[in-house]
Amino acid sequence: EARQKAMKISAGDQVEAPPFFFQKPAHGAIVDASSGGNARVAYPPKTAALEFELELVVALKKGGRGVAVADAADLIFGCALGVDLTRRDLQNAAKQARRPWDAAKGFDDSAPCGALLRGPPPGSDAVLELRTNGEVRQTCSVGDMIYGVPEIIHHLSREVTLEAGDVIFTGTPAGVGPVVPGDAVLCEATAADGSEALPVCAFVVGEVAAGASEAAPDRAPLVPASDPV
């Protein structure tokens, strides 16, 4: 889980704790959110607090175990923008009860992802931004990550064997917050020269899924993700 320079530490600094990892389902979690806002993500059941987390996503073309930092870039197929959707109320309850919080992170449509751009991650000065209904909610540069992508791959490969086709979400900056049915989410990555660093990730939060908590929030006015305010 990447933390940011807001904590006065950044990539290359010495930190006491290694990155922390969790898993989402291999099937059903990822949603193709590369269609300019036409993608729809179902509001999941059993939550009244669905929250977004903007993340740089890395897809692997080959795997390994105990991968050295210097060799990690050889495993990368491409990168994308993604959103780690989280049932925050379930997560908080699980933490308080000292129980696993897999269900808070792993559910249908929990990982909307834009199109992959083949090649290495964007440069450290590339800016990642998430908007809901046109309002900027999260922003950071790639260089704000404490652990760079090679370090994340290295640490993860020491816990599990990585495989070709694995997708790694690399952590979120400050500013996470709630979404409700009807909200439009737009994620963009901009290079230092103003060009697009990664394809957009855009989706609309759909209606509450069958079996959802009766406490789920009401539908909000729809603002197309393709119309930034």
Side-chain angles (χ1 to χ4, degrees):
E1 180 175 317
R3 289 169 288 176
Q4 307 296 324
K5 280 184 177 174
M7 302 176 65
K8 300 186 184 300
I9 45 182
S10 61
D13 289 343
Q14 296 297 315
V15 292
E16 294 182 2
F20 173 79
F21 301 101
F22 57 85
Q23 292 183 327
K24 288 180 180 280
H27 302 284
I30 291 183
V31 176
D32 179 2
S34 60
S35 55
N38 295 324
R40 297 189 73 82
V41 169
Y43 194 98
K46 298 186 177 180
T47 185
L50 183 66
E51 294 194 353
F52 57 79
E53 298 184 11
L54 168 66
E55 308 208 13
L56 173 65
V57 179
V58 178
L60 304 185
K61 62 184 178 183
K62 58 182 180 179
R65 175 83 176 174
V67 178
V69 172
D71 298 330
D74 294 338
L75 275 61
I76 298 172
F77 173 82
C79 299
L81 290 169
V83 179
D84 168 18
L85 292 173
T86 302
R87 294 190 277 203
R88 192 69 69 197
D89 45 358
L90 269 64
Q91 184 185 41
N92 290 339
K95 286 181 176 180
Q96 291 174 4
R98 296 186 177 182
R99 294 176 176 173
W101 37 269
D102 304 60
K105 291 287 190 178
F107 50 90
D108 291 347
D109 295 3
S110 61
C113 191
L116 284 166
L117 181 65
R118 189 164 186 169
S124 61
D125 53 1
V127 175
L128 313 183
E129 184 176 271
L130 179 146
R131 301 184 185 193
T132 60
N133 304 324
E135 179 183 354
V136 176
R137 305 296 298 276
Q138 289 185 283
T139 184
C140 70
S141 69
V142 172
D144 286 340
M145 298 170 63
I146 291 177
Y147 296 100
V149 171
E151 287 78 18
I152 290 172
I153 292 173
H154 162 70
H155 282 284
L156 183 55
S157 74
R158 296 176 66 189
E159 297 189 18
V160 296
T161 299
L162 300 178
E163 301 286 350
D166 283 348
V167 175
I168 304 171
F169 281 59
T170 59
T172 192
V176 300
V179 286
V180 298
D183 279 350
V185 179
L186 173 64
C187 306
E188 297 178 303
T190 307
D193 62 2
S195 63
E196 182 181 82
L198 290 172
V200 301
C201 170
F203 61 92
V204 174
V205 181
E207 299 294 341
V208 178
S213 167
E214 294 179 358
D218 293 333
R219 181 179 177 84
L222 176 61
V223 177
S226 56
D227 297 335
V229 176

